[in-house]
Amino acid sequence: MTSRGPATTAARSGRRPGNPDTKELILTAARNQFADSGFERTSVRAIAAEAGVDSALVHHYFGTKRALFLAAVDMPVDPQVILGAVLDAPIEEIGELLLRGVLGVWESPQGTAVLAAFRAAISGESTGLVSNFLTEVILRELVGRFDDPPGSGPLRATLVASQLSGLLITRYLLRLEPIASLSVDEVVVLIGPTVQRYLTGAVT
């Protein structure tokens, strides 16, 4: 009788086995997809297709799309650490709290790893990951609270992202003085009102 062993044990076409390289294949595909399409428009299915694996394997390695995004940008801190104290705060205090939270992460023990991830992202070919991280992961949950007049939320988020990214590059990458040596409190006093204006001031 003819053996059916090979037919029953062969891997299904189009899927890669779970080997040590599979995780990196998924991360590479995720970086490409997120940089090109943004966080919201990127699907786990599209990432899996580019990596040549099943969608279930993506979830197996990374859990959620949010966790995969954080792994793709090599960010050691979940944005919820920043947003936790901000989302429920009075609207007139959010500019200062958001800025203080972002600076707090960079000044924390994880700051060196955050700096390394940020530097790698902006110096490579995936600068879109940085913009998506700022606008679609950190700021996206705030847009709804500041969409006044209606439709202005995305513009406000982009303005805040421009302020934060410029500050982070100036203070931590270029280390331009005297801003590099200012305390967090001093930076918040100087720049916090600008962030708040972007959130609640006139945009037209």
Side-chain angles (χ1 to χ4, degrees):
M1 183 171 64
T2 302
S3 171
R4 299 183 61 185
T8 57
T9 58
R12 282 176 287 179
S13 175
R15 295 186 182 182
R16 298 179 185 271
N19 58 55
D21 296 329
T22 303
K23 192 171 184 179
E24 189 55 42
L25 285 171
I26 294 171
L27 283 173
T28 298
R31 292 184 185 106
N32 293 337
Q33 292 286 328
F34 285 130
D36 291 342
S37 303
F39 180 79
E40 281 300 310
R41 293 184 298 277
T42 295
S43 67
V44 171
R45 185 183 299 274
I47 292 169
E50 181 173 334
V53 302
D54 191 274
S55 297
L57 198 57
V58 178
H59 291 294
H60 169 74
Y61 279 118
F62 298 99
T64 65
K65 186 173 78 167
R66 184 190 187 95
L68 174 57
F69 184 87
L70 293 176
V73 297
D74 199 21
M75 189 59 60
V77 179
D78 192 305
Q80 282 302 128
V81 174
I82 300 173
L83 295 175
V86 174
L87 290 175
D88 297 326
I91 197 168
E92 67 274 8
E93 297 177 9
I94 288 183
E96 176 181 332
L97 289 173
L98 178 62
L99 179 57
R100 191 176 294 279
V102 170
L103 291 173
V105 171
W106 285 67
E107 300 281 341
S108 73
Q110 293 82 24
T112 300
V114 174
L115 176 60
F118 193 77
R119 179 183 286 115
I122 66 173
S123 63
E125 298 179 355
S126 298
T127 54
L129 287 174
V130 177
S131 61
N132 283 312
F133 179 72
L134 287 170
T135 60
E136 298 192 53
V137 177
I138 290 186
L139 297 174
R140 185 172 62 89
E141 297 186 51
L142 294 175
V143 168
R145 295 196 65 184
F146 298 97
D147 195 34
D148 183 22
S152 66
L155 173 59
R156 293 182 185 279
T158 303
L159 289 170
V160 173
S162 71
Q163 185 71 47
L164 294 179
S165 58
L167 171 62
L168 297 176
I169 290 171
T170 301
R171 179 175 172 88
Y172 297 104
L173 270 67
L174 301 179
R175 298 199 58 80
L176 295 183
E177 296 294 354
I179 198 167
S181 297
L182 295 177
S183 68
V184 169
D185 287 340
E186 290 173 320
V187 174
V188 170
V189 168
L190 289 171
I191 300 179
T194 299
V195 176
Q196 185 67 41
R197 178 171 59 82
Y198 286 151
L199 291 171
T200 57
V203 290
T204 57

